[in-house]
Amino acid sequence: MFWLHHTFHLKSGFYRSGFGRMSNTRYSLDSIEDTYVHLTNVAIQKTAPDYDPEKGCKWSLIQLRMYLLAKHGPEAVETLFKAMDDIFIKSLQSVQKIMINDKHCFELYGYDILIDETLKPWLLEINASPSLTASNQQDYDLKFKLLHDVLTIIDMEGKLTGKEKRIGGFDLMWSDGPVHCDDLCMEG
């Protein structure tokens, strides 16, 4: 999942079109030594004998959400996504005082979150400057649009008012305080 933080205005947004990554092999505790079962990193997964580079072990965030809705129902999935929003906000709050405060700076972060069998999200890591290398056409399209939307938010042409809550695939989540979903839903 991608998160953009504009350091000067203390504004942050979540990118709606992220992806979920799965392991290439079905999970089992019976094969604890099998790295293909336990790690979703592409550098490891692509060496599996049955790896399909076109599939890439990724689902769009929409595909993941639809699967989870079918399996667990809307209430559980809404709770999961709210908990992930909470992770995004709290992680940025925890480093807010040491972030560079310059109107010419921004950061793009990639969040790795593990979702357990009870739909509890666990923050694994946050990648500053996440890899934008594409592994297939769907991945390329997502990252191309992501970069386009990042450049729109940077607003080098001065076209934005600064009051936007939704730009391209980004939803404003923090603007000197939390921006609530109700505010976004009314706008867009």
Side-chain angles (χ1 to χ4, degrees), residues 105-145:
C105 293
F106 71 92
E107 289 283 346
L108 178 66
Y109 299 108
Y111 278 71
D112 291 351
I113 295 177
L114 175 86
I115 301 170
D116 72 16
E117 69 276 357
T118 67
L119 295 189
K120 180 177 178 170
W122 296 87
L123 178 61
L124 297 179
E125 69 177 345
I126 302 169
N127 298 294
S129 303
S131 171
L132 296 175
T133 303
S135 57
N136 60 31
Q137 188 61 47
Q138 181 184 18
D139 200 26
Y140 175 86
D141 294 343
L142 178 138
K143 291 174 180 175
F144 184 89
K145 187 172 179 338

Side-chain angles (χ1 to χ4, degrees), residues 142-184:
L142 178 138
K143 291 174 180 175
F144 184 89
K145 187 172 179 338
L146 168 75
L147 288 173
H148 178 271
D149 292 344
V150 166
L151 291 173
T152 301
I153 289 172
I154 292 170
D155 193 29
M156 295 183 337
E157 298 163 337
K159 293 181 177 181
L160 301 177
T161 66
K163 296 179 182 177
E164 293 84 1
K165 293 184 180 175
R166 182 170 278 170
I167 299 173
F170 281 97
D171 287 336
L172 183 64
M173 300 291 289
W174 184 268
S175 180
D176 290 326
V179 175
H180 301 287
C181 179
D182 297 340
D183 298 336
L184 288 171

Side-chain angles (χ1 to χ4, degrees), residues 3 15 19 23-24 35 42 51 56 59 62 77 84 96 104 120 130 135-137 144 159 166 172 179 185:
W3 188 270
Y15 197 65
F19 58 85
S23 62
N24 192 54
T35 57
V42 167
Y51 179 76
W59 281 358
I62 293 169
V77 174
M84 289 192 297
Q96 182 176 351
H104 302 292
K120 180 177 178 170
S135 57
N136 60 31
Q137 188 61 47
F144 184 89
K159 293 181 177 181
R166 182 170 278 170
L172 183 64
V179 175
C185 296

Side-chain angles (χ1 to χ4, degrees), residues 2-16:
F2 297 103
W3 188 270
L4 182 69
H5 181 71
H6 195 279
T7 60
F8 184 65
H9 300 291
L10 295 177
K11 289 186 176 185
S12 297
F14 172 69
Y15 197 65
R16 290 186 305 278

Side-chain angles (χ1 to χ4, degrees), residues 21 24 42 45-57 135:
R21 189 185 312 274
N24 192 54
V42 167
Q45 291 295 315
K46 70 182 180 183
T47 63
D50 57 344
Y51 179 76
D52 180 352
E54 272 309 300
K55 289 182 182 174
C57 300
S135 57

Side-chain angles (χ1 to χ4, degrees), residues 1 8 13 18 22 25 40 59 65 71 86 95 133-134 147 159 175-176:
M1 293 177 203
F8 184 65
M22 285 41 131
T25 308
T40 62
W59 281 358
R65 190 178 198 120
K71 187 166 172 107
D86 199 41
V95 295
T133 303
L147 288 173
K159 293 181 177 181
S175 180
D176 290 326

